[in-house]
Amino acid sequence: MSYQIALIKGDGIGPEIVESTVRVLDKAAEKYGLSFSYQSYPAGGCAIDLTGEPLPKETVEGCLAADSVLLGAVGGPKWDTLPGSLRPEKALLGLRSALGLYTNLRPARLYPALKDACPLRADIVAKGFDLLMVRELTGGIYFGDRGRRDGKYGPEAWDTEAYSVMEIERIARAALEAARKRRKSVISIDKANVLETSRLWRETVHRVAEDYPDVTVEDMLVDNAAMQLVRNPSRFDVVVTSNMFGDILSDEASQISGSIGLLPSASLGEGKRGLYEPIHGSAPDIAGQNKANPLATILSAAMMLRYAFDQDAAADAIEAAVDACLLDGCRTADIADAHTERVLTCTGMTEEVIRRL
Ligand code: IPM
Ligand code: MG
């Protein structure tokens, strides 16, 4: 089987973690009789420097033509003062929208080998957790009308949150389908005590859920959810929520898993093609120093093998190799106990994964 992968290395640590992941993919290809061809495209800050815009047309076309997209990270202080429409983040939002990637899957679990990195109390850690955040990715306040105007007290700014029944239905289905492959429980998170979009969200999720009598569906208000995630994370299986709530809660979920450097994500639309990226950012403070943790990107590639290419055996093997590395005490700086553990570089960790694959 041969697949074409569009690479968006992006900014900061992006190039290091993507190049590391390509080495892991090549090893998996060799072992499982697959063949990958790669084509790199600029997006984010580096694209602004190169072409004046964060998401050049060629990048969108290249991604649309590929079987899948692997992305490192975009952004950095150099581009922070540019106007909203020219910021590197615009590349991410533009790609999600252009590729129709409305479902964002962000799994977060506690790695027993890393339980000391978990900031939660020991009795909560002892119960562990394994959840899947399903975040709506192409609607809501991220994509609503916005602007500046003169208000009652002088200049003001406004953003709008809108959700159509169609958008809620399709993300609800994605979550319910995912739950069927897990522990068959969905918690839908909203702010229905205040927001009209949330009331429509709740109504619609429950209507769609009638087609899934084998899955239990519960509602939770977002403020309570933020609290329950640190109080009792083991009660969550699949979580489904809007674009903005999902952005915030997925960072919280990543933090309780020990390190944001471990969490992968998949962004999916109607077809097989998706965009796979770590949920962390470009970490400009350690860029180019071979210090970054490549595991979140490597695990994102495993998700790509599973969802885009149906290569479950290769995906399982990469995930098992990462697990084995962690169990064997391989640590990059972000997850190491500085006093007792030897710290691996980005390439060092990559080689440990490859050796166990
Ligand atoms: C994420 C990021 C992005 C988002 C930013 C960089 C636009 O925080 O993928 O979670 O808010 O979606
Ligand atoms: Mg975020």
Side-chain angles (χ1 to χ4, degrees):
M1 295 302 281
S2 118
Y3 303 99
Q4 226 188 310
I5 301 174
L7 299 179
I8 298 184
K9 297 180 186 174
D11 310 315
I13 58 171
E16 305 161 51
I17 55 182
V18 170
E19 282 152 23
S20 288
T21 301
V22 164
R23 291 178 61 193
V24 174
L25 276 169
D26 284 341
K27 175 72 191 284
E30 189 190 307
K31 219 180 136 190
Y32 290 89
L34 311 170
S35 138
F36 299 128
S37 63
Y38 309 96
Q39 181 72 51
S40 293
Y41 298 96
C46 61
I48 297 174
D49 290 349
L50 213 63
T51 69
E53 46 180 345
L55 185 60
K57 205 168 105 246
E58 294 68 33
T59 298
V60 175
E61 286 167 357
C63 292
L64 282 168
D67 294 313
S68 191
V69 184
L70 181 69
L71 184 144
V74 297
K78 181 175 175 193
W79 307 282
D80 268 353
T81 49
L82 291 170
S85 61
L86 274 179
R87 290 182 57 104
E89 289 80 0
K90 205 65 200 167
L92 263 186
L93 302 179
L95 269 176
R96 291 170 181 172
S97 171
L99 303 182
L101 306 172
Y102 59 83
T103 302
N104 185 215
L105 303 179
R106 296 188 165 186
R109 65 186 172 106
L110 190 71
Y111 285 86
L114 289 180
K115 63 180 184 346
D116 292 338
C118 176
L120 301 180
R121 236 174 33 219
D123 60 312
I124 302 173
V125 172
K127 288 200 268 177
F129 66 89
D130 179 353
L131 63 86
L132 176 67
M133 186 90 55
V134 180
R135 170 187 176 195
E136 199 291 323
L137 204 59
T138 53
I141 200 164
Y142 272 57
F143 291 91
D145 282 342
R146 73 193 73 224
R148 302 274 179 119
R149 64 190 168 202
D150 282 324
K152 200 166 148 199
Y153 305 106
E156 63 179 29
W158 55 280
D159 297 276
T160 46
E161 164 108 340
Y163 267 113
S164 64
V165 168
M166 180 278 287
E167 289 172 300
I168 305 168
E169 277 176 356
R170 64 186 185 182
I171 194 71
R173 267 185 211 291
L176 287 153
E177 291 289 342
R180 278 195 165 154
K181 299 192 186 121
R182 298 175 45 103
R183 304 193 301 276
K184 299 194 169 54
S185 145
V186 171
I187 296 189
S188 170
I189 294 174
D190 61 38
K191 189 70 187 172
N193 51 349
V194 178
L195 303 178
E196 199 53 39
T197 39
S198 283
R199 290 191 270 267
L200 181 67
W201 181 279
R202 204 173 262 217
E203 239 169 81
T204 308
V205 167
H206 284 281
R207 190 165 24 74
V208 175
E210 286 170 14
D211 295 342
Y212 297 78
D214 50 325
V215 179
T216 57
V217 177
E218 227 186 292
D219 301 302
M220 194 181 278
L221 295 172
V222 63
D223 46 352
N224 183 30
M227 196 166 71
Q228 297 304 330
L229 266 176
V230 289
R231 229 178 126 235
N232 188 11
S234 66
R235 71 176 290 185
F236 295 96
D237 176 18
V238 173
V239 167
V240 63
T241 193
S242 66
N243 205 342
M244 172 115 110
F245 293 159
D247 177 46
I248 298 167
L249 294 174
S250 61
D251 270 28
E252 189 185 0
S254 76
Q255 196 51 45
I256 58 171
S257 80
S259 168
I260 196 164
L262 284 178
L263 296 202
S265 80
S267 301
L268 309 171
E270 289 302 339
K272 276 274 161 203
R273 189 197 317 102
L275 183 147
Y276 298 82
E277 57 173 323
I279 87 155
H280 61 70
S282 60
D285 53 320
I286 56 163
Q289 299 172 38
N290 200 15
K291 282 185 184 165
N293 183 347
L295 294 181
T297 319
I298 291 171
L299 291 168
S300 300
M303 290 185 89
M304 176 169 86
L305 290 171
R306 177 169 294 118
Y307 292 107
F309 307 153
D310 291 316
Q311 296 292 339
D312 287 30
D316 290 346
I318 291 178
E319 286 168 355
V322 168
D323 274 348
C325 278
L326 294 173
L327 278 172
D328 293 346
C330 301
R331 301 284 186 269
T332 41
D334 56 318
I335 49 175
D337 177 336
H339 300 295
T340 57
E341 285 167 330
R342 192 170 65 91
V343 171
L344 292 172
T345 59
C346 180
T347 46
M349 181 64 109
T350 305
E351 279 149 18
E352 295 293 344
V353 175
I354 290 171
R355 183 169 316 142
R356 288 167 180 78
L357 195 58

